[in-house]
């Protein structure tokens, strides 16, 4: 009895967690399968057209493997929904109150699925850098109210790349700074620089004093 109780307490939360993760990530899984399927389809057609039968057969196998997750999600929820609906219909038979409760519960589940799975920009293929860890999936579940919980996984994968540092050469001691070219002298797509005045090495000659006439004796 203790073992059965522990098994139920362990398995049921894990099953609910897995179902929640599938609900949240289903749009991304469908988008990835759709995009990758047609990419491999073009490659497979090109391989068969070029006479590469082995590559074409391998591409067909890959296409089938890509479709399996989406088919598995669809089958799981279809079968689960059918069984839950039959159980609820049987449980509510013979009672108008129970039937009303069952209809409200089924309507709430269908409405929640439509709200999460409705195409509103979250059907995007899985991008490189997305890790899909348990912590990220829990954060996605918290964002179910936004209607785009699957995009949380993509937003968490975005990292800010710092801008590269530019090495600015410092002038060595004792060297004079080089004047920068003037930006205002750009004409016709060419940039001109104003000439740097060069000081003269010899001083200007001063005028010689004029000789005054000597008085005659």
């Amino acid at each position: 009895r203790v073992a059965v109780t522990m098994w139920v307490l362990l398995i049921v939360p894990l099953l609910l967690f897995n179902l929640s993760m599938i609900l949240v990530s289903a749009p991304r899984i469908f988008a990835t399968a759709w995009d990758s399927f047609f990419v491999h389809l073009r490659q497979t057609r090109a391989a068969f057209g070029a006479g590469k039968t082995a590559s074409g057969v391998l591409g067909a196998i890959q296409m089938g493997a890509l479709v399996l997750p989406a088919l598995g999600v669809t089958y799981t929820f279809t079968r689960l929904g059918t069984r839950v609906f039959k159980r609820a219909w049987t449980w509510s038979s013979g009672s108008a109150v129970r039937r009303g409760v069952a209809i409200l519960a089924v309507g709430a589940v269908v409405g929640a699925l439509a709200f999460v799975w409705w195409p509103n920009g979250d059907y995007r293929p899985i991008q490189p850098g997305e890790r899909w860890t348990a912590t990220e999936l829990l954060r996605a579940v918290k964002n179910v109210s936004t209607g785009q919980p699957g995009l949380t996984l993509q937003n968490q994968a975005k990292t800010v790349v710092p801008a590269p540092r530019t090495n600015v050469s410092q002038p060595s001691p004792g060297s004079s700074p080089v004047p920068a070219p003037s930006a205002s002298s750009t004409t016709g797509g060419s940039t001109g620089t104003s000439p740097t005045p060069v000081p003269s090495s010899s001083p200007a000659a001063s005028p010689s004093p004029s000789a005054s006439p000597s008085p005659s004796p």
Side-chain angles (χ1 to χ4, degrees):
R1 186 182 181 87
V2 175
V4 173
T5 304
M6 294 297 296
W7 183 83
V8 171
L9 293 177
L10 179 64
I11 296 300
V12 171
L14 288 177
L15 290 176
L16 293 176
F17 177 77
N18 289 333
L19 289 176
S20 302
M21 298 304 102
I22 294 174
L23 284 173
V24 168
S25 58
R28 306 294 307 281
I29 294 175
F30 292 148
T32 303
W34 178 272
D35 184 75
S36 301
F37 178 83
F38 284 100
V39 169
H40 283 77
L41 179 61
R42 289 191 295 268
Q43 295 176 355
T44 303
R45 286 179 176 177
F48 279 118
K52 300 178 180 179
T53 307
S55 300
V57 172
L58 181 60
I61 295 175
Q62 292 177 346
M63 289 165 56
L66 287 170
V67 175
L68 285 179
L71 292 178
V73 171
T74 305
Y75 175 78
T76 298
F77 280 97
T78 301
R79 185 173 178 81
L80 181 62
T82 303
R83 295 183 63 179
V84 169
F85 179 78
K86 288 182 177 179
R87 291 287 183 88
W89 196 261
T90 304
W91 170 79
S92 62
S93 61
S95 174
V97 176
R98 289 185 177 182
R99 183 58 56 87
V101 172
I103 292 175
L104 289 177
V106 172
V109 172
V110 173
L113 288 177
F115 179 73
V116 175
W117 289 358
W118 187 263
N120 55 355
D122 54 347
Y123 281 83
R124 301 179 184 177
I126 300 174
Q127 302 297 322
E130 298 186 26
R131 297 177 297 174
W132 287 53
T133 60
T135 305
E136 293 178 350
L137 290 171
L138 286 176
R139 292 176 182 174
V141 172
K142 294 180 180 179
N143 293 330
V144 170
S145 59
T146 61
Q148 298 176 337
L151 292 183
T152 305
L153 302 171
Q154 183 178 358
N155 295 334
Q156 291 176 357
K158 294 180 180 179
T159 55
V160 179
V161 180
R165 298 179 58 184
T166 56
N167 297 326
V168 180
S169 58
Q170 300 294 336
S172 57
S175 62
S176 58
V178 180
S182 175
S184 60
S185 59
T186 304
T187 56
S190 61
T191 305
T193 57
S194 57
T196 305
V198 179
S200 176
S201 58
S202 59
S206 57
S208 57
S210 57
S212 57
S214 57
S216 59

